[in-house]
Amino acid sequence: DAGVTQSPTHLIKTRGQHVTLRCSPISGHKSVSWYQQVLGQGPQFIFQYYEKEERGRGNFPDRFSARQFPNYSSELNVNALLLGDSALYLCASSQSGREKTQYFGPGTRLLVL
Amino acid sequence: GNSVTQMEGPVTLSEEAFLTINCTYTATGYPSLFWYVQYPGEGLQLLLKATKADDKGSNKGFEATYRKETTSFHLEKGSVQVSDSAVYFCALSGSGSSNTGKLIFGQGTTLQVKP
């Protein structure tokens, strides 16, 4: 079975632009979480979605938003990009909203110039 | 709030040496504990987990025991290989409905194994 997939793998944007990152969870998994990993640090939690509803939100500004679709895939949107948004964005899936074990995708590396 | 602290790296070992990476946590209730590994240029792979006190997680020769009395989850391997070179992250998922879906990570420990 395929693992968590993310697209694109790499992205270069300029300050002020908008970006959309996509994630498909493991088949049968209904929960998707998003994390931001800045170089040299551990991942930081951004959002969790389960059954198309937001179940958790980390300490990120309103420029960050996300949604989950009926097929359980998800998008992360970031508006008005800042240089500090440059990071590896990781998507993780789990079987349910209460299941604590999460499986990660390869990530999307975003560079903001 | 909940937090995870890992030993600073890099940790440099010779092949076949014994590995310990320390991890301690602060959390209310009974969190679940995880070790993830990240190879260069890749995402995170789940290495092992433990969901309750005294549980031992193990995988690919790596082990970690959930010690509630010392709030620790140290990662060990008896004989490391060059292929184990990577960044290792300790993480917790808090108990209670308000913590569901949120993993809290340590800062990561880089392991370099030399032939």
Side-chain angles (χ1 to χ4, degrees), chain A residues 18-63:
Chain A
H18 163 270
V19 68
T20 297
L21 310 181
R22 295 177 175 83
C23 171
S24 292
I26 292 171
S27 178
H29 285 194
K30 298 182 178 180
S31 179
V32 169
S33 296
W34 287 94
Y35 294 81
Q36 180 195 66
Q37 185 181 18
V38 173
L39 192 64
Q41 297 182 20
Q44 298 291 317
F45 174 75
I46 309 175
F47 287 112
Q48 186 209 17
Y49 275 77
Y50 175 62
E51 293 284 11
K52 297 177 289 182
E53 291 189 2
E54 181 182 305
R55 292 297 185 94
R57 184 184 183 112
N59 188 24
F60 281 81
D62 291 343
R63 299 185 295 108

Side-chain angles (χ1 to χ4, degrees), chain A residues 33 35 37 40-43 45 48 88 90 97-106 109, chain B residues 32 34 36 38 41-44 46 49 89 93-95 97 100-103 105-107:
Chain A
S33 296
Y35 294 81
Q37 185 181 18
Q41 297 182 20
F45 174 75
Q48 186 209 17
L88 179 67
L90 295 162
R98 287 195 169 275
E99 170 56 47
K100 296 179 184 297
T101 304
Q102 298 185 21
Y103 299 89
F104 284 81
R109 191 164 298 279
Chain B
S32 294
F34 304 86
Y36 284 87
Q38 187 173 37
E42 298 185 9
L44 274 67
L46 177 65
K49 67 178 182 180
F89 291 96
S93 182
S95 57
S97 58
T100 300
K102 176 180 178 180
L103 283 171
F105 287 86
Q107 70 270 34

Side-chain angles (χ1 to χ4, degrees), chain B residues 7-59:
Chain B
M7 63 185 288
E8 291 193 15
V11 174
T12 303
L13 296 173
S14 298
E15 208 166 21
E16 299 184 1
F18 185 85
L19 168 71
T20 300
I21 300 178
N22 291 338
C23 171
T24 57
Y25 68 89
T26 301
T28 56
Y30 299 90
S32 294
L33 300 173
F34 304 86
W35 277 100
Y36 284 87
V37 58
Q38 187 173 37
Y39 297 100
E42 298 185 9
L44 274 67
Q45 295 180 25
L46 177 65
L47 184 57
L48 53 84
K49 67 178 182 180
T51 58
K52 60 183 187 295
D54 299 326
D55 267 2
K56 177 186 283 188
S58 61
N59 185 28

Side-chain angles (χ1 to χ4, degrees), chain B residues 70-81:
Chain B
T70 54
T71 61
S72 65
F73 193 54
H74 304 321
L75 182 67
E76 297 181 336
K77 186 176 185 183
S79 177
V80 294
Q81 305 299 313

Side-chain angles (χ1 to χ4, degrees), chain A residues 65-79:
Chain A
S65 64
R67 56 179 176 168
Q68 187 178 32
F69 299 99
N71 65 353
Y72 304 111
S73 67
S74 177
E75 284 183 354
L76 175 69
N77 296 283
V78 187
N79 293 325

